[in-house]
Amino acid sequence: MLPTENRLRRREDFATAVRRGNRAGRPLLVVHLRFCGATDPHAPGESASPTRAGFVVSKAVGGAVVRNQVKRRLRHLIRERLPQLPPGSLVVVRALPGAGDADHAELARDLDAALLRLLGGVAR
């Protein structure tokens, strides 16, 4: 489970990450990453905001059961990778239709490759 402070919930934050962030596409998913700095614009008095992640899994991926399974897998995978990401960044992971048939290892491989590309080949 992804901790509450690491969840991306606002529509504006999703739009910011997708429109203004960097993008890396893989066969199973597309990752958008926006470096927003260390301060949270929505929390007054806060000096350091955590990295927040959100997920987009459309009906093209599969039925409700398959979509929820993909979201659970992606949440688990991104939770393990949060320490690698800069503080205050926004991450949106969009699952592509092939993600519904992929297993955990394939999703992990594509997520790692996308994050590696976005972070400039530094981590992992």
Side-chain angles (χ1 to χ4, degrees):
M1 184 65 111
L2 196 61
T4 304
E5 65 269 6
N6 296 116
R7 294 182 191 163
L8 196 60
R9 296 180 183 210
R10 293 190 167 122
R11 179 180 178 159
E12 306 88 42
D13 293 337
F14 273 89
T16 299
V18 171
R19 291 184 186 146
R20 296 184 181 161
N22 297 324
R23 179 182 68 204
R26 302 296 301 156
L28 300 177
L29 47 87
V30 176
V31 179
H32 299 269
L33 179 64
R34 167 84 172 150
F35 300 108
C36 292
T39 59
D40 186 1
H42 300 296
E46 297 266 336
S47 61
S49 66
T51 299
R52 293 180 292 154
F55 306 93
V56 178
V57 183
S58 73
K59 289 184 179 181
V61 173
V65 173
V66 174
R67 289 195 312 269
N68 285 322
Q69 184 180 33
V70 169
K71 280 188 272 190
R72 282 193 306 269
R73 287 178 177 170
L74 290 173
R75 273 197 302 264
H76 177 75
L77 290 169
I78 204 75
R79 187 186 75 189
E80 295 173 348
R81 289 148 180 85
L82 283 176
Q84 299 173 357
L85 300 171
S89 58
L90 304 176
V91 181
V92 173
V93 180
R94 183 168 46 98
L96 297 176
D101 298 326
D103 64 358
H104 189 79
E106 291 171 326
L107 286 173
R109 185 177 60 243
D110 274 7
L111 181 61
D112 286 338
L115 289 174
L116 183 66
R117 181 173 171 207
L118 290 170
L119 295 173
V122 178
R124 271 200 191 249

